[in-house]
Amino acid sequence: MKLTKSQRAELRNKFSGRCAYCGCELPERGWHADHVEAALRKWEFSPRQANGVRRAIATGEHWLPENDVYENLFPACAPCNLFKATFSVESFRNEIAQQVSRARRHSVNFRTAERFGQVHVTESPIVFWFERYQKEQAA
Ligand SMILES: [Zn+2]
């Protein structure tokens, strides 16, 4: 859905101007309106270009249009929104929880930093900013 200017301003402030997930302060521009439950954009192939490539182009329609409503939108920073992609909130939490083991498996930099005590991994649960915020508001 296309947000009006005032809807966008209201959405940005939904959790005191912070990303619903990581809690970073949202910039004036460049933050995303995240579909909490994915609406799944429809796309189609472009005509073949001179170099033979066909590109995927969003049609502007959704597979789950019932999720493309204001009530299903959270303000998110670009990195959180892009990583969350079509994950549900719980799948997103689960993906984040796997980041340390992935870094350990794939990154020499991470393993080296950890071996020299530069990285301290915790077992802390993944709690999203909107959860802290809502708990605080309810108290
Ligand atoms: Zn974020």
Side-chain angles (χ1 to χ4, degrees):
M1 67 176 289
K2 180 87 179 130
L3 296 177
T4 65
K5 208 170 181 174
S6 72
Q7 279 177 318
R8 204 169 149 80
E10 185 186 295
L11 184 61
R12 180 169 176 258
N13 263 322
K14 187 169 180 135
F15 305 113
S16 73
R18 292 175 178 275
C19 169
Y21 302 106
C22 71
C24 74
E25 275 191 50
L26 293 172
E28 199 77 43
R29 292 164 163 275
W31 60 273
H32 294 189
D34 173 62
H35 289 87
V36 180
E37 296 295 330
L40 302 179
R41 284 172 211 286
K42 288 187 181 181
W43 57 273
E44 57 192 22
F45 283 118
S46 70
R48 202 171 292 282
Q49 296 168 327
N51 61 6
V53 171
R54 298 181 78 187
R55 301 180 49 192
I57 297 179
T59 65
E61 295 182 330
H62 295 91
W63 291 106
L64 298 170
E66 66 273 26
N67 288 343
D68 188 34
V69 292
Y70 183 81
E71 294 68 34
N72 185 44
L73 297 177
F74 271 3
C77 69
C80 279
N81 183 247
L82 295 171
F83 188 95
K84 183 171 172 284
T86 60
F87 293 131
S88 66
V89 169
E90 291 316 311
S91 301
F92 185 38
R93 192 190 316 276
N94 189 39
E95 288 294 319
I96 294 168
Q98 293 180 54
Q99 292 306 297
V100 168
S101 60
R102 285 177 183 154
R104 219 175 249 145
R105 197 161 55 238
H106 299 292
S107 168
V108 171
N109 304 105
F110 184 88
R111 290 194 297 270
T112 303
E114 196 175 30
R115 200 165 64 251
F116 281 85
Q118 301 302 296
V119 173
H120 176 66
V121 173
T122 69
E123 299 295 319
S124 57
I126 311 300
V127 180
F128 292 122
W129 168 252
F130 78 87
E131 295 167 324
R132 292 179 203 273
Y133 182 85
Q134 286 171 343
K135 197 173 171 188
E136 199 177 280
Q137 296 299 302

